[in-house]
Amino acid sequence: MTKFKFSVGPWNVHEGADSYGPATRKTIPIEEKFKKFAELGFSAVQFHDDDAVPNINDYTEEEIKEKARELKKTLDKYGLKAEFVAPRLWMDEHTMDGGFMSTSKEDRDYAMWRAYRSIDIANELGTDMVVLWLAREGTLCAESKSPVWATKMLIEAINKMLEYDPKIRVCIEPKPNEPIDRSICGTMGHVMAISAATIDPSRVGGNLESAHAILAGLDPAHEIGFAMAMGKLMTVHLNDQNGIRYDQDKSFGVENLRAAFNQVKVLKENGYGSHGEYVGLDVKAMRTTKDEDSYKHLENSLNIFKALEEKVERFDYDFQKKCVENRDFEALEMYVMNLLMGID
Ligand code: 3MF
Ligand code: MG
Ligand code: MG
């Protein structure tokens, strides 16, 4: 049996709307999702600030904390932990052209307000992690913003979060593009550099999403490995992606099985989870999926992960060593393919 603990966000079960068409499924209340997550074997839930406290702009700081305390009770009821809180800056009118890197001082202040509230919510929910998916932090028009200034703004914003709460950890989820054309912090390498430039690098790390690495033309397992080598892989968003196109958030492993195997392998070989890290999913059902199948992509992702974990357990390291010594990578590659195809 797996020793890994899994997490998922309520947005993973969604109505099916995309940029070109409306919803295809009914909205499921958040508590019903929690119940189902627990049944499926998830240990923790990931939150946007406004998943935790809807209409967050309408409340005072104290009211927000109070609502978060109520949510914690609901999570407790289902035996679920909160993994992280992420300010959903990209949805708000104040952050139309970015939050921390907006050219408007007023909008940057608003973004900080949301970041501080996310930290407050995280504290109430019993987690020390805030995730920053920097959705609109970059440019649509390259000449609209200096990348030097924008990068410095991000570092300044993270420093303020670290100062606001001496225990909070800030976890950047890099993505090279979408919804912006050019992002400021596109890969794990960028995240590590930003981390090193902050006032407390030990509290700034990364969340590697498989699809985001693929969109950057990189191998997700190597991105995970790079962050782990730096001791800064705080969480993962496992999913899959068919090449360099729109962000698809497909079920883990359904497009790139060998790459998925190597993600499980690198996590397992390097003791991921031993410091309480969760294996997080960030997957979406296909738009055509019926209401009654709203959770199938989660089940599929978990089943694929666990099947690959079993393959990793069977991986013959002696044979691998021999192949490497003989430089017989053809044999090693065929061994891996046979393992994945179930051919002994
Ligand atoms: C976008 C994403 C997001 C983030 C999430 C948490 C919808 O490509 O992957 O998921 O992971 O908002 O920051
Ligand atoms: Mg994504
Ligand atoms: Mg994600």
Side-chain angles (χ1 to χ4, degrees), residues 10 12-15 25-37 290-295:
N12 281 216
V13 177
H14 71 123
E15 293 83 357
R25 287 181 292 276
K26 288 197 283 289
T27 300
I28 300 175
I30 200 162
E31 187 167 346
E32 201 178 313
K33 292 183 186 179
F34 293 165
K35 187 165 177 279
K36 188 72 182 171
F37 291 162
K290 291 182 176 175
D291 288 280
E292 59 264 39
D293 298 324
S294 290
Y295 297 88

Side-chain angles (χ1 to χ4, degrees), residues 11 173 207 209 212 237 239 249 282:
W11 66 88
E173 178 178 336
N207 172 10
E209 174 162 321
H212 297 176
H237 263 173
N239 59 13
D249 299 333
D282 194 357

Side-chain angles (χ1 to χ4, degrees), residues 46 176 193 256 279 295:
Q46 315 161 12
N256 303 282
V279 173
Y295 297 88

Side-chain angles (χ1 to χ4, degrees), residues 73-233:
K73 286 186 202 152
T74 314
L75 282 176
D76 289 347
K77 193 165 136 194
Y78 297 99
L80 293 163
K81 302 272 183 226
E83 187 194 11
F84 65 70
V85 180
R88 184 150 39 192
L89 293 179
W90 55 95
M91 290 285 195
D92 200 276
E93 61 182 318
H94 297 93
T95 47
M96 193 191 293
D97 187 30
F100 310 124
M101 302 176 192
S102 170
T103 44
S104 144
K105 165 93 170 65
E106 202 185 321
D107 292 354
R108 289 201 300 281
D109 289 346
Y110 173 78
M112 283 317 300
W113 185 81
R114 290 285 293 263
Y116 295 144
R117 297 301 71 77
S118 296
I119 295 172
D120 292 347
I121 295 168
N123 280 323
E124 296 298 340
L125 295 182
T127 172
D128 66 353
M129 186 156 72
V130 159
V131 164
L132 304 181
W133 171 46
L134 301 165
R136 298 193 190 278
E137 310 290 13
T139 55
L140 289 172
C141 171
E143 297 77 15
S144 66
K145 205 173 275 186
S146 154
V148 176
W149 174 85
T151 305
K152 288 182 175 171
M153 284 294 109
L154 176 60
I155 296 165
E156 193 181 302
I158 294 171
N159 283 341
K160 284 185 192 162
M161 292 174 221
L162 296 172
E163 275 167 356
Y164 178 75
D165 181 333
K167 284 191 304 302
I168 204 75
R169 294 183 301 144
V170 178
C171 175
I172 305 175
E173 178 178 336
K175 186 176 181 183
N177 57 271
E178 198 199 25
I180 33 81
D181 184 16
R182 295 161 170 85
S183 130
I184 289 293
C185 189
T187 69
M188 268 301 162
H190 293 87
V191 173
M192 296 302 122
I194 296 284
S195 167
T198 64
I199 53 170
D200 188 355
S202 73
R203 289 195 284 142
V204 184
N207 172 10
L208 193 277
E209 174 162 321
S210 324
H212 297 176
I214 295 167
L215 285 172
L218 297 171
D219 180 88
H222 274 213
E223 286 282 271
I224 288 173
F226 182 73
M228 288 190 99
M230 305 295 165
K232 291 195 190 319
L233 185 71

